Amino acid sequence: MHICGVVDRGSGQVYMESSKEISLAPSKGASWVHETPFLPEGWEETNAIGAPTLRHAAMRQALSDQRNLRPELFKSVHWRVAKYLWDCLGKCKKQTAYAWKLFATAYPEEFRKVAPHRAMKVESPLMSIQDYLGLVKCESLSWGATLTLAATQVRTPDLVGLANIPNLVALEIATPMLYEGVQEEGEVPMVNLDDRIVRSWSELAQNSKGFANLRVLMLQFQHRISRAALRYFHDFPALQFLVLNHCSVLPVDAVAGFELEGWAVVDMDEVPKTLHSIYQKTLEIDDAEQTSFPLDARIFSLQVGQRTHKVLRASSRQFYRTVCLRRVKAYAERPAKKLKTAPKPLPAGPKRAVMRERKLKDLGGLLQDFL
């Protein structure tokens, strides 16, 4: 969605105008909305010293349309040949995210040394959020994913569905900061994270193996979560670090060592700017819990929307610095107090007459008087 200011020269009034982009995923496929699967036109079609070699011709045929490539097609292909294909894609600047994920799946050990990380940034989304979530999801856990959501199209089902991405190792929720009243009348703003959504995450983590490998959670400009959310985060099995930026759940003057609901403020010196760098830094912290994902796993990073560090709303002018929290190992949640149960109410309805039990006289003694 694009928002711009428009001036009516007749009246002098200024108003906001927005336009929505139609998702291109159904026609092109989600992987090819922002990238193209084809080789550049005319790339190395001819050879100055003669006809191209059979190897070169086979390479061009194999890479002419990346949509035809699948990991299973490389089962019998030696890594030396696959490395040659990857290098050719680099020469023509067509090392797409699709190709990266394909090689990371087909050659997990060898490809790790060549391209351990791939980043993709989409500041102007052209698809639905569900389509973008499909780009980072990998059921086979062939590679990990870090995801930054800063798009205005995010809705509650999108946030809840994040728990179903098994290879997600780091997540950032960054609500875009907009001037109040900017959105068009009737336009639904991006859903802010709140305790209700975090509770849904907690239930999915306990009952459906949600967020099985999430190690780092970064929240920016989230003012609707309370201390209860910190308790819910303990249900995430692999979560070890929370990074909060402009979140009012912590006191402004919280320093290293301060504990709240089983999370302790730690000093990370300078917090890295990218989510992937933050994730990598947590792996280097002494005495940190081991990650549930391999330390040397390939990582695919996706950013949807435009991140901002500016605070524009008048209600958010209070200064909150970036704070890193670490799970307290010995933390045990206090047992909930048992509430006194009220006596069950009697069933409603008209009262029924009950005959009292009477003490009957002895008939033997009564008949004796007539004998």
Side-chain angles (χ1 to χ4, degrees), residues 26-132:
S27 59
K28 293 186 175 183
S31 298
W32 308 115
V33 171
H34 299 280
E35 295 179 302
T36 174
F38 307 112
L39 291 175
E41 186 176 356
W43 180 74
E44 292 194 2
E45 286 185 349
T46 59
N47 193 325
I49 60 176
T53 63
L54 292 178
R55 181 189 185 191
H56 187 273
M59 175 272 296
R60 281 188 48 82
Q61 178 63 28
L63 301 180
S64 60
D65 188 348
Q66 295 183 29
R67 294 175 299 180
N68 299 326
L69 301 179
R70 298 289 186 274
E72 54 269 20
L73 298 179
F74 289 82
K75 283 186 177 181
S76 302
V77 178
H78 194 274
W79 165 243
R80 178 172 52 84
V81 178
K83 175 67 164 52
Y84 167 70
L85 296 178
W86 176 255
D87 291 340
C88 290
L89 289 175
K91 290 180 181 179
C92 63
K93 298 181 180 180
K94 289 298 176 181
Q95 290 179 340
T96 63
Y98 180 88
W100 183 91
K101 290 185 283 188
L102 183 146
F103 281 92
T105 303
Y107 303 94
E109 298 298 331
E110 299 87 349
F111 194 66
R112 179 185 296 117
K113 303 175 183 178
V114 175
H117 178 231
R118 164 76 188 202
M120 183 176 181
K121 182 185 295 185
V122 181
E123 293 189 338
S124 299
L126 299 177
M127 304 186 297
S128 68
I129 296 300
Q130 289 298 321
D131 289 328
Y132 286 107

Side-chain angles (χ1 to χ4, degrees), residues 12 22 102 149 162 183 198-199 234 236 275 322 354 362 365:
I22 300 176
L102 183 146
L149 282 183
L162 294 173
Q183 60 263 20
V198 177
R199 182 177 180 179
H234 274 276
F236 294 28
L275 182 61
T322 302
V354 179
D362 184 6

Side-chain angles (χ1 to χ4, degrees), residues 19-314:
S19 60
K20 291 185 177 180
E21 296 284 352
I22 300 176
S23 176
L24 302 177
S27 59
K28 293 186 175 183
S31 298
W32 308 115
V33 171
H34 299 280
E35 295 179 302
T36 174
F38 307 112
L39 291 175
E41 186 176 356
W43 180 74
E44 292 194 2
E45 286 185 349
T46 59
N47 193 325
I49 60 176
T53 63
L54 292 178
R55 181 189 185 191
H56 187 273
M59 175 272 296
R60 281 188 48 82
Q61 178 63 28
L63 301 180
S64 60
D65 188 348
Q66 295 183 29
R67 294 175 299 180
N68 299 326
L69 301 179
R70 298 289 186 274
E72 54 269 20
L73 298 179
F74 289 82
K75 283 186 177 181
S76 302
V77 178
H78 194 274
W79 165 243
R80 178 172 52 84
V81 178
K83 175 67 164 52
Y84 167 70
L85 296 178
W86 176 255
D87 291 340
C88 290
L89 289 175
K91 290 180 181 179
C92 63
K93 298 181 180 180
K94 289 298 176 181
Q95 290 179 340
T96 63
Y98 180 88
W100 183 91
K101 290 185 283 188
L102 183 146
F103 281 92
T105 303
Y107 303 94
E109 298 298 331
E110 299 87 349
F111 194 66
R112 179 185 296 117
K113 303 175 183 178
V114 175
H117 178 231
R118 164 76 188 202
M120 183 176 181
K121 182 185 295 185
V122 181
E123 293 189 338
S124 299
L126 299 177
M127 304 186 297
S128 68
I129 296 300
Q130 289 298 321
D131 289 328
Y132 286 107
L133 298 186
L135 293 180
V136 300
K137 189 173 184 178
C138 180
E139 295 287 354
S140 63
L141 305 181
S142 300
W143 35 271
T146 69
L147 175 64
T148 295
L149 282 183
T152 56
Q153 300 98 318
V154 179
R155 299 293 177 259
T156 299
D158 300 325
L159 291 177
V160 175
L162 294 173
N164 299 322
I165 303 178
N167 58 316
L168 189 63
V169 297
L171 172 65
E172 177 183 0
I173 305 294
T175 301
M177 303 304 294
L178 303 174
Y179 288 106
E180 294 181 357
V182 165
Q183 60 263 20
E184 183 181 356
E185 185 178 356
E187 179 73 18
V188 180
M190 174 180 174
V191 173
N192 287 278
L193 195 64
D194 56 25
D195 292 348
R196 183 171 56 90
I197 296 176
V198 177
R199 182 177 180 179
S200 298
W201 283 351
S202 171
E203 294 173 352
L204 290 172
Q206 296 179 77
N207 304 324
S208 305
K209 298 182 179 180
F211 292 119
N213 293 294
L214 184 67
R215 178 179 176 83
V216 178
L217 176 61
M218 183 174 185
L219 304 178
Q220 298 209 59
F221 310 110
Q222 304 300 323
H223 296 281
R224 297 185 181 179
I225 58 173
S226 67
R227 296 176 55 167
L230 299 181
R231 294 194 294 270
Y232 291 139
F233 286 141
H234 274 276
D235 296 325
F236 294 28
L239 187 61
Q240 295 296 324
F241 293 91
L242 296 174
V243 182
L244 307 180
N245 180 28
H246 288 83
C247 297
S248 54
V249 66
L250 282 180
V252 179
D253 56 351
V255 295
F258 176 82
E259 293 189 13
L260 182 65
E261 301 295 347
W263 297 92
V265 177
V266 295
D267 186 7
M268 287 187 67
D269 297 328
E270 184 177 354
V271 179
K273 293 183 178 180
T274 65
L275 182 61
H276 175 258
S277 299
I278 293 175
Y279 171 73
Q280 292 295 330
K281 190 166 185 176
T282 65
L283 300 178
E284 302 170 359
I285 295 179
D286 295 336
D287 300 328
E289 289 288 337
Q290 292 295 326
T291 174
S292 57
F293 225 71
L295 288 173
D296 54 355
R298 285 81 55 212
I299 301 296
F300 175 64
S301 299
L302 175 63
Q303 174 185 323
V304 183
Q306 190 171 7
R307 298 173 76 232
T308 177
H309 296 284
K310 297 180 180 179
V311 181
L312 303 179
R313 288 179 181 169

